[in-house]
Amino acid sequence: MNILFIEDDPMNRRVVKDMLDVAGATMAEASWAEEGLGMIDAETFDVVLVDLRMPGIDGFETIRRIRGRPDAKAELPIIVVTADTAPDLWDRCIALGADDILFKPVAMDALFDSIGRVLAIRGGGMIA
């Protein structure tokens, strides 16, 4: 399982990486959206985790750009990881093409459940 986490906060990336290490998953890290989008161009990922509030291109635009790709990578499973609790957040993210949303601080069981659920719906692998 190869997962990309696009998140500007290094501590949040570290916490999620430690959780994924427990499951034997590999996590690539991008500190900003442009870096993450470039990594999607160059590598293959099973899931993309994306924060919404980042400097430069935010998570909403990142989702738009992934979904707007002309190749199969447009269908990458995307899970939003955010501290934002706006009432319309779920609807906005799903309308853009996100598959699920996790709220910070992320719990390990919630992370694994979300990845497993999204991959099961899309027909991909499962995380232990």
Side-chain angles (χ1 to χ4, degrees):
M1 177 82 44
N2 193 19
I3 297 170
L4 172 62
F5 191 12
I6 306 171
E7 160 71 66
D8 61 314
D9 185 304
M11 183 56 72
N12 288 334
R13 290 194 313 268
R14 179 60 190 210
V15 167
V16 171
K17 182 175 184 345
D18 288 347
M19 290 179 197
L20 292 171
D21 283 348
V22 169
T26 301
M27 188 186 96
E29 303 177 33
S31 300
W32 61 90
E34 294 90 339
E35 179 184 25
L37 293 168
M39 292 172 76
I40 291 169
D41 287 339
E43 299 177 48
T44 300
F45 296 101
D46 299 297
V47 175
V48 176
L49 306 174
V50 64
D51 183 27
L52 291 179
R53 306 290 179 215
M54 296 180 286
I57 298 173
D58 67 15
F60 297 107
E61 181 60 23
T62 302
I63 295 167
R64 278 188 207 94
R65 290 187 185 192
I66 294 170
R67 291 295 180 241
R69 292 177 63 97
D71 58 15
K73 292 181 179 183
E75 296 303 317
L76 274 167
I78 299 171
I79 300 171
V80 170
V81 180
T82 186
D84 191 339
T85 58
D88 66 337
L89 185 67
W90 178 266
D91 293 335
R92 287 179 63 201
C93 290
I94 298 303
L96 285 173
D99 294 283
D100 201 2
I101 300 172
L102 293 172
F103 295 96
K104 296 175 187 174
V106 175
M108 186 182 299
D109 61 339
L111 176 64
F112 292 174
D113 287 349
S114 179
I115 292 170
R117 186 173 48 254
V118 167
L119 290 176
I121 289 168
R122 289 186 169 265
M126 294 293 289
I127 191 166

